[in-house]
């Protein structure tokens, strides 16, 4: 089974936003909804100032917190590693947005759903590249199968000594002049997710269970009482 | 019938290949997707190969049409410019096509900012009658045509020739005039850089990855990945400055001194290509004498770049020759920014010649030539000779070298005075001089004084807003255009969808105006006939080219041993400049203005996600960058009490704007920077209206010597916290 990932070579990226817009056009996104973002950094003082560009997007985490908190199961991780949102099933509750450690999800107010980078899974299924990769003038993006050691992606990761953002499917060649601190942090489950997952969710279940139990018990007691009264 | 059974498709396919091969041995590459598209119903998906117009580069694109709607644009892999890839602007083209604020039909002005719809025929009739009336009263030269010359420009020029006016003017003086004038005189044409193979590259102000040209980006990124060393000389940390290996934050306006010092070192240390200089150039001895005093130490004092760095750059540049190039530039230092820009361009031209890089791998190169047919036989009688000199004086005794480029920035002044003749009418096509030329206020006043202003555009821009008639052109995804050549290929723009509104192709608009102005004899041809005439020697027709979008044809490689200069060689010493009142060899001239203690030099330039003033209302591009910000150095901002995000007032001697500040280490303390293309003053363009500041409102009209370029960065401004 393939496991898809992406490499962004920031030594090639020129910060043109071609990826951002190709993605928007391809998914017919609202202008304010951007799956791929471009950030520019400046460090140092004049005249010794260095700059660079870092792009961010959904990291397609190994164990995505967005999927774990999703109450309807609209967000899920596919067997090929792509984290998708079933836009029909999404109820727009935005829990996933608060759970995402990378702020990679966007709310679409017109459709009341949350959207994100889908790695253009439909293109990928047809053997094509995601729109951002396809359009990149600088050839800074490489998409492919991490399981296949012979894939363009796997070979590039080795050849370029790319840095994996741990716990995710995204690799970077860091920008020249800048250290890796400008890259997205390694995956760390946000505290809120742990609270939700380990305390709120079980507690909720317990509370709901107790409530349901109470209702059932109440009904039983009532029924028993009623039948007693009849006697 | 047999003919009916042979489908049009099969027939074309056969005749296309046979015709092409038989005639010139070139090859047409069929586009499978386009072939497939035609076989299916119009409701299904189609892929239409055409040409982008989100900037001036004209990349080949594929328009993906689904149920009659262009849903996506991608690069055409067979196009030599896009090679299948697109920038943000190219990708955002659907938002221009489906922009709700587009012009939807012809309009007539009925008051300030008020327009009423008018039928095309009525508009033509009224404009034609007015043109004839003004021609009768003032002569044909009273009409000026201003344009950002696009593929349609041959027909615009044909209209003007038929009308009898010599006054067709492009946007060159606000962009590249100085570079062109310098290289045309010294090289016989303007070469480009072989970015793909360059090993050492210096850009003086050229923001290669900011003022994006897709094909150049693809090549320079690949060259860099293979170890090319890139140097950005720029007063600010531009998009290219942070991409490059080195950023040299030069004092604005002093680049010329640095180039002259590089020449000085390369000559004095005998680092130049002696064989090339001897065989392919004239005037070396004069150049050597001319630069004798321009030492690195001299340049260091002027530029703020230390002498050791200058010497190192010269040595490294020369060591990499001939795969070493100093970019001839575009709109920046060598184009239209400073009073000394033409000297800077001449110095850059001379420096490249010393590297012997013309025609060498990784050096400078001229594009190959494709010989197209002559359409004049279908274009009516020979137009009359133009009556009188040009309106702006370009090409006259005072401005002998810039006839082709004109001087659009002097338009307001010339409208005001009636010498040598009155200007009463202007047609403005695909150009927005109110925001793209200089001194917006003066330009608006000039437009108000004219008897006839006609704007042809796809959107209501700040200039069209003052027009008597606004004629809406179909967008690039809805129309044909005269074909273009790129490298060894011919490329066709063709519609992906029918026009959404009551708009027309520019050729129809021009023909409509011509017929109404009594010039019917000159416009009895269709665009298809025109394109067919151009394609005839290649054994192709527009209909055939339409099916594939791009066709590879035979192209002639340039002959670098016979340049189009008087000597046939690169003219390091050039008499033409002396005749134009300048020096024989490139020489130091200080910039025109020096900022005082409370002043800044105002510099402007481009960003990668917008093109001039044409994309600020595009929803995708607007969302990425809705407004510009004034870059100011912390040392100066601190004294003025300005923080990032504060609203500031920027004032020059001709105008004032309000804009947000961005305090950054990435700019020379003497300068402030504003990205061009913002500050739309037209409420009809809802996204762009009043976002950011219009840089042109601040820039006074200053015409650089020799080239006639608008020296846009010779602008002094003061900055204060607003409100």
């Amino acid at each position: 089974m393939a496991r898809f990932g992406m490499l962004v070579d920031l030594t090639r990226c020129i910060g043109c936003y071609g990826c951002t817009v190709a993605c928007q056009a391809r998914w017919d996104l609202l202008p304010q909804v951007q799956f791929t973002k471009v950030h520019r950094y400046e460090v140092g003082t004049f005249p010794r100032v260095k700059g660079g560009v870092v792009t961010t997007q959904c990291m397609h985490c190994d164990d995505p917190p967005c999927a774990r908190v999703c109450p309807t199961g609209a967000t899920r991780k596919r067997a090929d590693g792509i984290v998708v949102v079933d836009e029909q099933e999404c109820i727009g509750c935005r829990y996933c947005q608060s759970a995402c450690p990378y702020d990679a999800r966007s709310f679409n107010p017109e459709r009341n759903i949350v959207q994100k980078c889908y790695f253009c899974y439909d293109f990928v299924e047809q053997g094509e590249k995601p729109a951002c990769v396809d359009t990149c003038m600088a050839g800074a993006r490489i998409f492919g199968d991490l399981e296949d050691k012979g894939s363009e992606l796997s070979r590039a990761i080795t050849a370029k000594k790319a840095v994996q953002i741990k716990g995710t499917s995204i690799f970077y060649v860091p920008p020249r002049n800048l250290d890796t601190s400008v890259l997205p942090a390694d995956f760390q489950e946000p505290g809120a997710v742990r609270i939700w997952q380990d305390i709120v969710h079980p507690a909720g279940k317990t509370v709901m269970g107790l409530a349901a139990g109470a209702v059932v018990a109440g009904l039983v007691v009532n029924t028993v009482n009623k039948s007693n009264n009849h006697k | 019938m047999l003919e009916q059974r042979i489908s049009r498709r099969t027939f074309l396919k056969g005749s296309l290949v046979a015709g092409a091969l038989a005639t010139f041995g070139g090859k047409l590459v069929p586009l499978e997707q386009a072939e497939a598209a035609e076989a299916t119903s119009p409701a299904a998906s189609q892929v239409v190969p055409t040409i982008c117009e989100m900037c001036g580069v004209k990349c080949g694109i594929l328009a993906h049409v689904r149920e009659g709607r262009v849903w996506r644009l991608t690069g055409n892999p067979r196009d030599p410019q896009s090679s299948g890839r697109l920038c943000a602007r190219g990708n955002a083209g659907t938002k221009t096509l489906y922009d709700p604020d587009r012009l939807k039909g012809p309009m007539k002005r009925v008051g300030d900012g008020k327009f009423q719809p008018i039928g095309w025929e009525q508009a033509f009739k009224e404009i034609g009658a007015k043109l004839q009336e003004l021609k009768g009263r003032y002569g044909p030269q009273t009409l000026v045509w201003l344009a950002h010359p696009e593929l349609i420009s041959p027909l615009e020029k044909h209209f003007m020739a038929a009308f009898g006016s010599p006054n067709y003017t492009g946007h060159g003086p606000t962009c590249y005039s100085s570079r062109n004038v310098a290289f045309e005189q010294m090289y016989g044409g303007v070469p480009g850089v072989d970015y793909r193979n360059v090993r050492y590259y210096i850009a003086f102000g050229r923001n290669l990855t900011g003022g994006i040209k897709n094909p150049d980006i693809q090549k320079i990124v690949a060259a860099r990945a293979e170890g090319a060393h890139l140097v950005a000389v720029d007063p600010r940390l531009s998009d290219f400055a942070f991409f490059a290996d080195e950023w040299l934050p030069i004092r604005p306006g002093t680049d010329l001194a640095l180039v002259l010092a590089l020449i000085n070192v390369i000559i004095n240390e005998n680092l130049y290509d002696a064989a090339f200089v001897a065989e392919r150039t004239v005037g070396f001895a004069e150049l050597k004498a001319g630069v004798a005093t321009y030492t690195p130490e001299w340049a260091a004092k002027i530029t703020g770049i230390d002498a050791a760095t200058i010497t190192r750059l010269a040595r490294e540049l020369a060591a990499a020759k001939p795969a070493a190039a100093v970019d001839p530039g575009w709109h920046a230092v060598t184009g239209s920014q400073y009073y000394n820009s033409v000297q800077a361009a001449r110095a850059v031209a001379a420096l490249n010649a010393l590297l012997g890089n013309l025609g060498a791998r990784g050096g400078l190169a001229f594009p190959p030539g494709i010989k197209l047919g002559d359409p004049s036989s279908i274009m009516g009688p020979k137009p009359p000779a133009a009556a009188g000199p040009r309106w702006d004086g370009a090409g006259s005794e005072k401005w002998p070298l810039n006839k082709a480029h004109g001087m659009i920035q002097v338009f307001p002044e010339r409208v005001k005075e009636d010498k040598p003749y009155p200007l009463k009418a202007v047609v403005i096509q695909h150009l927005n001089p109110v925001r793209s030329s200089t001194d917006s206020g003066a330009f608006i006043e000039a437009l108000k004084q004219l008897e006839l202003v006609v704007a042809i555009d796809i959107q209501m821009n700040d200039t069209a807003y003052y027009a008597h008639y606004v004629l809406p052109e179909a967008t690039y995804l809805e129309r044909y255009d005269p074909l273009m050549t790129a490298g060894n290929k011919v490329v066709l723009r063709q519609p992906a969808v029918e026009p959404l509104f009551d708009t027309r192709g520019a050729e129809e608009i021009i023909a409509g105006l011509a017929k109404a102005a009594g010039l019917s004899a000159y416009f009895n041809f269709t665009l298809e006939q025109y394109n067919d005439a151009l394609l005839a020697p290649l054994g192709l027709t527009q209909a055939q080219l339409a099916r594939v979008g791009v066709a590879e044809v035979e192209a002639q490689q340039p002959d670098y041993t016979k340049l189009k200069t008087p000597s046939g060689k690169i003219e390091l010493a050039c008499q033409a400049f002396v005749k134009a009142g300048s020096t024989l060899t490139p020489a130091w001239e200080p910039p025109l203005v020096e900022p005082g203690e409370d002043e800044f030099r105002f510099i402007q330039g481009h960003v990668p996600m917008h093109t001039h003033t044409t994309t600020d209302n595009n929803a995708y591009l607007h969302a990425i960058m809705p407004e510009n910000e004034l870059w100011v150095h912390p040392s100066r901002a601190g004294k003025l009490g300005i923080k990032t995000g504060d609203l500031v007032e920027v004032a020059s001697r001709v105008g004032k704007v309000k804009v947000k500040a961005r305090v950054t280490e990435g700019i020379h303390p003497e300068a402030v920077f504003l990205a061009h293309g913002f500050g739309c003053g037209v409420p009809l363009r809802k996204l762009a209206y009043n976002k950011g500041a219009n840089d042109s409102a601040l820039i006074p009209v200053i015409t650089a010597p020799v080239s006639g370029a608008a020296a846009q960065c010779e602008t002094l401004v003061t900055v204060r916290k607003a409100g």
Side-chain angles (χ1 to χ4, degrees):
Chain A
M1 186 70 199
R3 190 165 69 86
F4 292 109
M6 190 180 285
L7 162 66
V8 185
D9 182 348
L10 295 173
T11 64
R12 293 181 77 108
C13 179
I14 59 157
C16 75
Y17 290 83
C19 49
T20 306
V21 183
C23 167
Q24 288 184 298
R26 176 255 178 279
W27 288 100
D28 195 20
L29 301 183
L30 293 176
Q32 69 270 29
V33 174
Q34 296 166 348
F35 290 171
T36 287
K37 299 190 179 87
V38 180
H39 314 266
R40 194 172 146 181
Y41 291 88
E42 278 172 22
V43 290
T45 52
F46 187 90
R48 276 170 289 282
V49 190
K50 311 265 189 198
V53 182
V54 175
T55 67
T56 58
Q57 63 186 88
C58 171
M59 308 292 283
H60 299 273
C61 303
D62 297 345
D63 183 12
C66 53
R68 275 191 279 143
V69 300
C70 179
T72 68
T75 289
R76 50 184 170 261
K77 189 169 174 79
R78 307 194 331 170
D80 60 10
I82 302 180
V83 177
V84 292
V85 180
D86 184 328
E87 295 187 351
Q88 306 304 318
E89 288 180 28
C90 177
I91 55 167
C93 70
R94 308 179 70 165
Y95 283 145
C96 56
Q97 264 188 295
S98 61
C100 175
Y102 296 107
D103 192 23
R105 294 182 155 246
S106 315
F107 182 65
N108 178 331
E110 280 185 9
R111 294 176 60 198
N112 192 38
I113 54 169
V114 174
Q115 301 177 295
K116 57 170 276 296
C117 158
Y118 305 120
F119 265 173
C120 289
Y121 61 85
D122 53 342
F123 283 9
V124 171
E125 280 163 10
Q126 292 164 36
E128 291 175 40
K129 293 171 182 170
C132 59
V133 177
D134 194 50
T135 208
C136 183
M137 295 183 296
R141 287 170 175 265
I142 302 172
F143 179 83
D145 182 3
L146 293 164
E147 297 286 310
D148 175 3
K149 294 300 160 210
S151 71
E152 186 193 0
L153 175 65
S154 298
R155 283 185 282 120
I157 287 169
T158 313
K160 292 170 184 273
K161 298 193 180 77
V163 177
Q164 179 172 21
I165 306 305
K166 288 198 182 69
T168 78
S169 309
I170 304 289
F171 294 72
Y172 286 99
V173 180
R176 286 174 295 120
N177 309 325
L178 295 176
D179 61 34
T180 52
S181 66
V182 296
L183 300 180
D186 286 340
F187 177 80
Q188 210 177 7
E189 198 171 315
V193 170
R194 206 167 304 125
I195 292 167
W196 170 266
Q197 203 65 31
D198 300 344
I199 303 166
V200 180
H201 207 153
K205 273 183 185 164
T206 313
V207 170
M208 290 296 281
L210 286 175
V215 169
V216 172
L219 281 172
V220 171
V221 169
N222 252 341
T223 311
V224 171
N225 281 349
K226 274 179 189 167
S227 55
N228 284 348
N229 286 346
H230 275 285
K231 278 182 181 172
Chain B
M1 274 167 68
L2 183 67
E3 289 90 317
Q4 279 178 340
R5 265 184 270 135
I6 301 173
S7 75
R8 186 175 148 73
R9 220 178 121 217
T10 323
F11 168 73
L12 270 177
K13 207 171 172 181
S15 65
L16 189 68
V17 176
L21 291 178
T23 317
F24 58 91
K27 70 175 184 243
L28 269 169
V29 194
L31 191 75
E32 296 82 357
Q33 290 154 303
E35 302 268 349
E38 211 164 299
T40 54
S41 73
S45 304
Q46 292 185 29
V47 177
V48 181
T50 184
I51 300 176
C52 187
E53 196 178 60
M54 293 300 284
C55 79
V57 176
K58 303 178 186 71
C59 291
I61 54 171
L62 301 176
H64 301 252
V65 185
R66 196 163 57 193
E67 292 170 352
R69 196 178 161 85
V70 182
W71 73 279
R72 185 180 182 222
L73 299 162
T74 56
N76 184 347
R78 301 213 161 92
D79 176 74
Q81 304 208 91
S82 74
S83 305
R85 294 161 186 274
L86 289 183
C87 68
R89 304 166 301 183
N91 273 298
T94 51
K95 287 290 181 206
T96 290
L97 172 63
Y98 298 113
D99 185 346
D101 299 340
R102 259 183 69 180
L103 291 169
K104 298 179 177 74
M107 293 199 291
K108 181 180 181 178
R109 182 187 179 83
V110 291
D112 275 359
K114 291 199 183 75
F115 295 86
Q116 73 180 29
I118 183 174
W120 277 104
E121 291 319 309
Q122 186 64 26
F124 287 146
K125 206 172 129 192
E126 291 183 20
I127 298 168
K130 189 74 186 173
L131 280 172
Q132 298 210 50
E133 178 206 320
L134 293 172
K135 187 180 191 174
R137 257 199 286 155
Y138 302 104
Q141 71 279 7
T142 199
L143 174 65
V144 173
W145 192 295
L146 303 177
H148 185 285
E150 294 294 339
L151 292 173
I152 198 71
S153 69
L155 299 194
E156 298 173 80
K157 288 174 184 166
H158 182 57
F159 176 95
M160 289 300 275
F163 195 78
S165 172
N167 293 331
Y168 179 86
T169 307
H171 78 304
T174 58
C175 191
Y176 52 71
S177 284
S178 295
R179 174 202 63 177
N180 281 33
V181 165
F183 277 90
E184 280 158 7
Q185 298 307 318
M186 292 171 68
Y187 281 61
V190 184
V193 176
D194 176 13
Y195 292 108
R196 180 63 189 84
N197 299 301
V198 76
R199 301 293 300 164
Y200 202 99
Y201 168 85
I202 306 181
F204 283 91
R206 179 156 195 210
N207 185 7
L208 195 62
T209 53
I212 282 183
K213 283 186 79 185
N214 182 356
D216 297 351
I217 300 290
Q218 297 189 26
K219 291 170 193 153
I220 197 83
V221 171
R224 218 226 130 258
E226 287 170 14
H229 187 81
L230 313 180
V231 182
V233 183
D234 200 310
R236 70 174 182 115
L237 188 73
S238 68
D239 305 81
F240 184 66
F242 75 69
F243 178 74
D245 298 88
E246 276 189 71
W247 172 43
L248 301 181
I250 194 165
R251 277 188 69 212
T254 66
D255 306 71
L256 170 61
L258 178 50
V259 187
L260 292 170
L262 293 174
I263 295 175
N264 175 293
V265 174
I266 286 177
I267 290 180
N268 287 337
E269 298 191 2
N270 282 318
L271 302 175
Y272 58 93
D273 184 334
F276 182 94
V277 167
E279 282 166 34
R280 305 279 189 84
T281 74
V282 294
F284 177 74
E286 292 90 332
L287 177 69
K288 184 176 179 175
V291 300
T293 56
Y294 303 135
T295 61
E297 292 71 24
W298 167 84
K301 281 188 208 124
I302 295 170
T303 61
I305 310 291
D306 63 77
T309 302
I310 298 173
T311 305
R312 173 177 61 81
L313 278 187
R315 289 175 185 164
E316 289 176 356
L317 186 64
K321 71 179 184 297
V326 179
D327 203 310
W330 205 274
H331 148 262
V333 168
T334 54
S336 57
Q337 290 191 334
Y338 300 106
Y339 205 65
N340 62 18
S341 279
V342 77
Q343 286 285 10
R346 291 173 62 190
V348 164
L351 178 52
N352 279 299
L354 296 179
L355 300 170
N357 67 10
L358 185 63
R361 191 178 156 84
L364 300 186
F366 290 116
I370 294 175
K371 193 135 180 69
L372 294 174
D374 175 11
S376 60
S377 63
I378 61 163
M379 294 170 78
K382 192 173 185 302
R390 279 183 58 97
W391 70 280
D392 50 13
S396 69
E397 205 173 312
K398 190 174 175 208
W399 303 99
L401 304 184
N402 76 339
K403 187 172 182 188
H405 312 301
M407 291 181 282
I408 190 172
Q409 72 276 15
V410 302
F411 187 76
E413 185 195 318
R414 278 288 288 107
V415 168
K416 228 188 269 176
E417 57 184 32
D418 280 348
K419 289 177 285 182
Y421 52 76
L423 301 180
K424 296 293 178 187
V426 64
V427 179
I428 304 166
Q429 145 82 358
H430 192 100
L431 190 72
N432 182 12
V434 165
R435 272 206 284 149
S436 64
S437 185
T438 51
D439 197 348
S440 302
F443 218 105
I444 291 169
E445 286 311 307
L447 291 174
K448 285 180 177 169
Q449 282 182 41
L450 292 169
E451 289 194 33
L452 179 66
V453 179
V454 179
I456 305 169
D457 210 309
I458 63 165
Q459 55 193 339
M460 177 64 87
N461 64 36
D462 298 63
T463 306
Y465 200 55
Y466 296 94
H468 298 104
Y469 296 90
V470 181
L471 304 180
E473 192 184 4
T475 67
Y476 68 102
L477 293 166
E478 302 165 305
R479 64 166 202 256
Y480 284 97
D481 256 338
L483 63 92
M484 68 171 278
T485 60
N488 65 340
K489 294 185 177 176
V490 287
V491 194
L492 181 71
R493 175 173 288 144
Q494 62 178 323
V497 287
E498 293 285 314
L500 301 179
F501 306 110
D502 188 14
T503 60
R504 295 186 180 182
E507 88 286 356
E508 275 182 273
I509 299 174
I510 293 165
L513 289 176
K515 284 170 187 167
L519 308 171
S520 299
Y522 295 94
F523 281 89
N524 279 324
F525 62 95
T526 65
L527 184 55
E528 179 161 11
Q529 289 167 333
Y530 179 83
N531 277 337
D532 283 349
L534 291 178
L535 287 167
L538 306 175
L540 281 169
T541 64
Q542 176 182 292
Q544 290 170 332
L545 190 56
R547 300 183 48 73
V548 289
V550 180
E552 197 175 310
V553 297
E554 241 172 44
Q556 205 162 19
Q557 288 309 316
D559 180 358
Y560 293 107
T561 61
K562 285 184 203 128
L563 300 181
K564 292 177 190 135
T565 60
S567 60
K569 299 178 178 185
I570 298 173
E571 310 229 329
L572 298 175
C574 189
Q575 285 296 339
F577 291 107
V578 178
K579 282 185 198 139
S582 187
T583 53
L584 180 63
T585 56
W588 171 244
E589 281 170 18
L592 186 68
V593 298
E594 282 290 334
E597 204 171 305
D598 300 332
E599 292 171 317
F600 295 88
R601 185 186 288 275
F602 177 76
I603 59 178
Q604 41 92 275
H606 291 185
V607 291
M609 59 298 249
H610 283 290
T611 303
H612 305 306
T613 66
T614 63
T615 59
D616 52 355
N617 208 62
N618 178 296
Y620 281 149
L621 303 174
H622 173 86
I624 294 171
M625 185 171 181
E627 60 189 350
N628 52 359
E629 297 163 324
L630 188 83
W631 292 28
V632 56
H633 190 267
S635 64
R636 303 290 304 272
K639 282 184 203 153
L640 295 164
I642 295 165
K643 295 187 301 295
T644 291
D646 285 349
L647 197 64
V648 294
E649 184 186 87
V650 192
S652 76
R653 69 176 160 93
V654 299
K656 271 182 202 166
V657 298
K658 280 186 186 169
V659 68
K660 281 185 200 152
R662 171 177 165 186
V663 179
T664 170
E665 293 284 350
I667 187 160
H668 197 286
E670 275 179 27
V672 286
F673 167 80
L674 207 50
H676 176 67
F678 298 88
C680 171
V682 180
L684 301 173
R685 298 174 74 218
K686 296 181 200 71
L687 290 178
Y689 180 53
N690 263 343
K691 296 281 165 53
N694 169 18
D695 54 316
S696 296
L698 296 171
I699 302 171
V701 179
I702 295 170
T703 299
V706 183
S707 70
Q712 293 161 106
C713 295
E714 300 285 11
T715 303
L716 294 177
V717 295
T718 54
V719 178
R720 68 177 183 86
K721 201 165 164 175

